[in-house]
Every structure is written in structure tokens, then in C-alpha cells.
Amino acid sequence: MSDARLADLSRRLPDLRLLTEPGELEHYGRDWTRRWTPAPLAIALPSSIDEVQAIVCWANERQIAIVPSGGRTGLSGGAVAANGELVLSLERMNRVLDFDAVDRTLTVQPGIILQTVHEAARSHGLIYPVDFAARGSCSIGGNIATNAGGIRVIRYGNTREWIVGLKVVVGNGELLELNRGLIKNSSGYDFRQLMIGSEGTLGIVVEATLKLTDPPPPSQVMLLALPHMDALMQVFALFRARLTLQAFEFFTDHALEHVLAHGAQRAIDGDYPYYVVTEFDAVDERAQDAALAAFEHALEQGWVSDGVIAQSEAQSAALWRLREGITESLASRRPYKNDVSVRISAVPAFLHEMQALLAHEYPQIEVVWFGHIGDGNLHINVLRPDGMSEETFIAQCEHVTRLLAATLQRHGGSISAEHGIGLVKRAYLESTRSAAEIALMQGVRKVFDPNGVLNPGKLFAGG
Ligand code: MLT
Ligand code: ZN
């Protein structure tokens, strides 16, 4: 080890896996944002909580920043290491540790992939209901760090609702055991909830106890084509009143074009500006008839132009692909992403203002919208035109994001619904959180990480 600091770390932890090859630094130093040039000092792959604690102690002594790292599928730069940090990858700590049939909990290490959690829950006849398209590569530790949402929030809520215990190594290397799986625990501040969504700036999750639940009843998946934007919330209100929704997602014709070009199958002929994929409980024939009646009512009202109901699991998967495949279909274009939310009741007014703003500010730029409209959460993906430099493009997107942030502020919304603040959104945190809140957040960070070694620069500029 030519670097004295790393040689010291290796001396302290002779069994610790440390990577320093350029290809490895690049691989572990970036997330899905692909905007920053990775430049970590090294990658540490601990295999135990003891090793994580020792690394954090070493980082304090040596004043080295740590970037906790899971599946690096993040879209806000929260796991980027571009300034000589030590990336602490939890990918080797990826086991299921325990299943408790009475508590209906699964205790896992943080590097476990979400899909593996789903499979483990299913093997016990239960489900872990948080779900989204990155399920095959994101890790539970990263989900906790960002309070990940996804496509079933409308039914099950965010990650936050499903974590009943956490073990966390905080900034001074101490291990905290938070909530210990309790359902009821009125014993003061809930540090577990504070850790969830803190983006690795307060502690490193080294173990999590997840609450499981019963699988949902049989469901049906429907794709709807909508004639105009106002119809989105009209159909949502109708379907929510008449059916038990598991998901209600939307995308635009632009999003559809990309996903079709990327291999998905067209399910509705004709051109429509908006589409909805919805999944709802369909326990028996009566429930299926109710869905059909809701669809027909929407058709009569002129809120829906066309629609299909999946007749098999394969068709359901094909319909879902139209929504879930969007991110992947855009990935090579490295879109600038906004991930915003407002209260459901504010969606119609906000959508109109936002559409006018984007049309005015991005006249020559392709903007692809999709998202979890039933949660008031929209993803706005801006695509850099050929011939425009990255620098000009980012400058323009940041200008529009400032305007968008002001619009959100007027509507009481959030600049980050589910992707986190990371590096991408930190300049806009003030649009969502008051100065008093931000000052308290920084104070909390000082308490948990006095020397600022945990993911500095994420969430807040400068530390
Ligand atoms: C999604 O809803 O598909 C994810 O949040 C990913 C994305 O926004 O690209
Ligand atoms: Zn999303």
C-alpha cells in the first residue's frame, strides 16, 4: 500500500478488503447520475460491524471522508466519491440474518439487494412491499439512507414505514441499536427514523430489521390512454374511490416513445398525450366488474380515450414494462432529473404551472415526465440536445430548477420526493426546508458526526 493512510488501515485491519485499481475506483466512486468524475482514495469492503467501526475510527483520526455505498443506483449523487474519500461499500455484508415468524420480521445486513429481500420474504409466505424498478441492483442500506419510495407507496408507504430496527455506526465509531424491532416504543427521540433518509450523513446502517406483511390479494393491471392532463387526477379520484389501488403511475407520450424504442411492446394503438398504469385488487368477479365499470365511466366522461386490462401475468409484466422501463431507456442520455412532490390536492394546479414553466424555459429541449402521480410525485427528465455542451445544459437545467423550486415552494411541495438531496439538489434545499430547520439539521449532524467524516458535502454544501 503506497499511501501511508491506507497502509495504516491495512495494519489495523489485516483482513479488510481494500481496492485501489483505477477501474475499481471508477466503478465504486459513482452512482447513476454519471455527472461527477469519480476520484476516491480507495474502496473498503468490510465484512463485519467491527470492521465498519474500526474504519470510522481510523477516518476520524486521519480526517478522511467516508462515502457509504450500497448498490449506487441513486439519482442525486448521494453515493458519489469525487474528492479523495474512502468509499465504504457494504456489498459483502449482504446476508439475511434472521426471520422471526411471530414478529413477522426479517433481519438483514445492509448490502443485501432489494430483490433478494423480496425473495426471502416470499419464501416465508410474506412480502416486503417497498418496490421499484432498481430492485435488482439497489441495496436495502441505500433504500434506508434515502427513505426510498417507488411504485407501491400509494398502498404501502415509503421505506420508513417498514423499518422496525436499525444498527448504525455513527460518526465517532460508536454502534447504536435503534428500536430493536419494537412496535410500541414511546421512550423519547426516535433515532431510527432520524437515520432513515439521512443519506449517510449521520450514521452507517450495518443491520436492519424489516417488517413484513401478508401478500396482497390477486390483482389486475390496466393501461389507460388519457386525452389531456386534467384527466390524470380525475381518473385517479374515480379509481381510488371505487377500487383498492396497489399502484397508480403515469407517463407521457415522450416517455412511451423512449421505452418502445428500447424494446417494450406497444399495448394501445394511436397517439395520446398521457398514459396511466394502475394495479388494483381484483379478488373476484365482482371486483373485476367494478374495475370495468370505473373504466367505462371514465370513458363516458371523456377522461380516458382507450385502455387495456392484462389477461395474464406476462401481459401484466408487459404493461408494467412501459412504466418501469423508462429510466433504463433514458439512461444513455444521462438526463437531468427533477424528482418533485406536492400534496395530492395540489397536483392539478401545480401541473399546470409546471407545464407552462417547462414549455417556456425549455422550448428546444426534450422533457420526459413520468412518475407516481397517485403520491403527488413527478419525475421530470430533461434530455441534453445533440450539440449542446454539458456545461451549458447543466447551467440551463439549474436555472429552471431554481424556478421550479420557487413554484414548489408556493405549492408547499418538496424538491426531492424520493431520490434524496445528495449533490444534485443541495442548492435547492431551502425551497423545501426553512432556514431554522436547516440550522437544526446541521446541528444534529454535528451531534452524530462531530468531525464531519460521514458523507460530507451531501445534503448540505460544505460539510
Ligand atoms: C422511478 O420512479 O422509476 C424512479 O424513481 C427512477 C427515476 O426517476 O428515474
Ligand atoms: Zn420514482
Side-chain angles (χ1 to χ4, degrees), residues 132 150-151 249 323 339 370-372 377 379 418-419:
F132 37 86
I151 55 177
E249 300 277 312
R323 162 63 184 90
D339 158 42
F370 61 95
H372 320 281
N377 175 191
H379 297 309
E418 60 171 3
H419 294 169

Side-chain angles (χ1 to χ4, degrees), residues 50-165:
D50 286 348
E51 282 189 345
V52 174
Q53 287 184 274
I55 293 168
V56 174
C57 291
W58 164 86
N60 272 275
E61 287 169 32
R62 295 273 178 176
Q63 292 183 5
I64 291 171
I66 291 176
V67 176
S69 186
R72 291 178 305 285
T73 56
L75 297 163
S76 292
V80 166
N83 289 307
E85 303 94 332
L86 181 85
V87 174
L88 192 156
S89 165
L90 294 142
E91 75 179 28
R92 293 177 71 206
M93 294 174 64
N94 61 1
R95 283 179 302 120
V96 173
L97 298 174
D98 187 37
F99 166 70
D100 192 307
V102 177
D103 292 331
R104 308 219 301 178
T105 56
L106 197 68
T107 298
V108 297
Q109 292 185 307
I112 192 166
I113 299 299
L114 178 60
Q115 193 163 315
T116 313
V117 169
H118 288 163
E119 286 160 9
R122 284 267 176 205
S123 74
H124 296 291
L126 295 168
I127 62 160
Y128 175 70
V130 179
D131 193 19
F132 37 86
R135 66 181 73 82
S137 35
C138 66
S139 73
I140 205 79
N143 294 177
I144 293 168
T146 53
N147 184 27
I151 55 177
R152 312 238 170 221
V153 169
I154 197 170
R155 172 73 159 261
Y156 296 107
N158 296 293
T159 298
R160 189 178 289 298
E161 334 267 338
W162 298 94
I163 308 299
V164 289

Side-chain angles (χ1 to χ4, degrees), residues 374-434:
D375 311 323
N377 175 191
L378 277 97
H379 297 309
I380 305 158
N381 287 243
V382 191
L383 302 182
R384 181 167 63 87
D386 290 340
M388 184 184 277
S389 76
E390 175 85 5
E391 218 183 352
T392 309
F393 175 65
I394 296 291
Q396 173 141 8
C397 292
E398 289 187 339
H399 162 71
V400 179
T401 299
R402 272 190 291 280
L403 300 175
L404 186 62
T407 312
L408 279 164
Q409 201 164 17
R410 280 199 304 283
H411 288 274
S414 175
I415 193 68
S416 177
E418 60 171 3
H419 294 169
I421 295 292
L423 292 171
V424 176
K425 319 276 173 53
R426 66 182 188 185
Y428 316 100
L429 186 60
E430 285 159 23
S431 65
T432 301
R433 312 297 292 262
S434 70

Side-chain angles (χ1 to χ4, degrees), residues 28-55:
Y28 286 92
R30 65 185 190 183
D31 63 8
W32 278 9
T33 49
R34 300 287 192 269
R35 204 158 112 194
W36 289 269
T37 308
L41 168 69
I43 319 302
L45 295 112
S47 59
S48 67
I49 294 176
D50 286 348
E51 282 189 345
V52 174
Q53 287 184 274
I55 293 168

Side-chain angles (χ1 to χ4, degrees), residues 276-341:
V276 163
V277 174
T278 179
E279 185 163 345
F280 44 84
D281 292 0
V283 190
D284 50 24
E285 238 171 79
R286 241 184 57 201
Q288 292 171 15
D289 289 348
L292 223 50
F295 171 70
E296 275 160 15
H297 181 73
L299 212 53
E300 280 159 22
Q301 296 295 319
W303 300 336
V304 158
S305 308
D306 202 351
V308 290
I309 296 192
Q311 301 297 336
S312 64
E313 286 214 359
Q315 273 181 23
S316 298
L319 295 187
W320 264 117
R321 185 172 172 196
L322 296 172
R323 162 63 184 90
E324 290 205 297
I326 299 170
T327 299
E328 205 187 321
S329 74
L330 301 175
S332 65
R333 300 284 303 272
R334 294 191 296 123
Y336 181 94
K337 282 175 183 280
N338 290 113
D339 158 42
V340 302
S341 66

